Amino acid sequence: MTAGENMARVLEATGIYKLTGNSPVDWELSAYQAGMGELEKDMARLEQELFAQTAPPERLTEWERLFYTQTLPGELPARQGMVTAALAGSREAATLSALEGLIAAAGLTGTVREENGGLVVEAEKQVEITDQEARRLLDRLLPAHLPWELRLRGTERQ
């Protein structure tokens, strides 16, 4: 329900106003609705921009700048997913399964396991992100107290 529709409903419910469409009150409500309609559109757009999961391309670029040094390739949903994964980095305990979800922020899919007191990330790229950028993101998001190694499938040992 729009603000204008709500105002009309409230006025009619008082029993004082009869909104026929041709009264001065109707004309005034129409003017209010026009102004409120633009404000409602702006608020809906702002609400989308507030969250990486729903951000339009021009605002998603701003979110991406928080984490990435390169422009993210790919379709909007994939880019939104990478930024969302980067934002979710510190919300869960650092379990191996949580870390596997985290590597999506680097445009990767794969597994994380413990080996020789550190972590091994075995993954493959889901988007065209540079190896350097993927490593930079993992270095920023993986637990700082653990050494880690990235092994990209289909390439030489990294």
Side-chain angles (χ1 to χ4, degrees):
M1 176 181 301
T2 66
E5 291 168 340
N6 187 49
M7 288 170 62
R9 186 180 59 82
V10 169
L11 288 175
E12 282 189 306
T14 67
I16 299 172
Y17 301 97
K18 290 190 191 258
L19 303 176
T20 62
N22 294 322
S23 71
V25 174
D26 286 303
W27 303 333
E28 195 169 337
L29 276 175
S30 292
Y32 291 147
Q33 265 183 314
M36 298 288 251
E38 290 302 311
L39 182 60
E40 288 168 339
K41 280 191 248 177
D42 290 345
M43 294 296 286
R45 189 189 78 251
L46 178 61
E47 187 176 357
Q48 274 192 315
E49 292 177 357
L50 284 173
F51 304 99
Q53 299 96 321
T54 57
E58 62 278 1
R59 182 58 63 200
L60 187 61
T61 300
E62 298 298 319
W63 281 101
E64 290 169 339
R65 287 183 186 150
L66 295 173
F67 297 98
Y68 304 94
T69 59
Q70 78 172 72
T71 301
L72 289 183
E75 297 295 319
L76 184 62
R79 292 171 51 211
Q80 290 169 329
M82 287 176 66
V83 172
T84 300
L87 286 166
S90 62
R91 293 190 180 146
E92 292 185 47
T95 63
L96 292 176
S97 63
L99 295 178
E100 285 178 2
L102 191 65
I103 65 175
L108 306 172
T109 186
T111 60
V112 179
R113 70 174 192 282
E114 292 182 68
E115 186 177 288
N116 299 326
L119 299 174
V120 174
V121 178
E122 288 187 358
E124 58 188 42
K125 292 182 183 180
Q126 294 301 301
V127 297
E128 290 300 317
I129 194 166
T130 65
D131 292 3
Q132 178 183 354
E133 184 71 359
R135 282 186 174 78
R136 191 187 68 73
L137 256 295
L138 290 175
D139 198 41
R140 185 173 177 184
L141 296 172
L142 291 174
H145 68 287
L146 292 174
W148 61 272
E149 177 184 355
L150 174 60
R151 297 179 187 166
L152 292 172
R153 293 186 192 124
T155 63
E156 294 298 316
R157 190 174 179 104
Q158 303 292 320

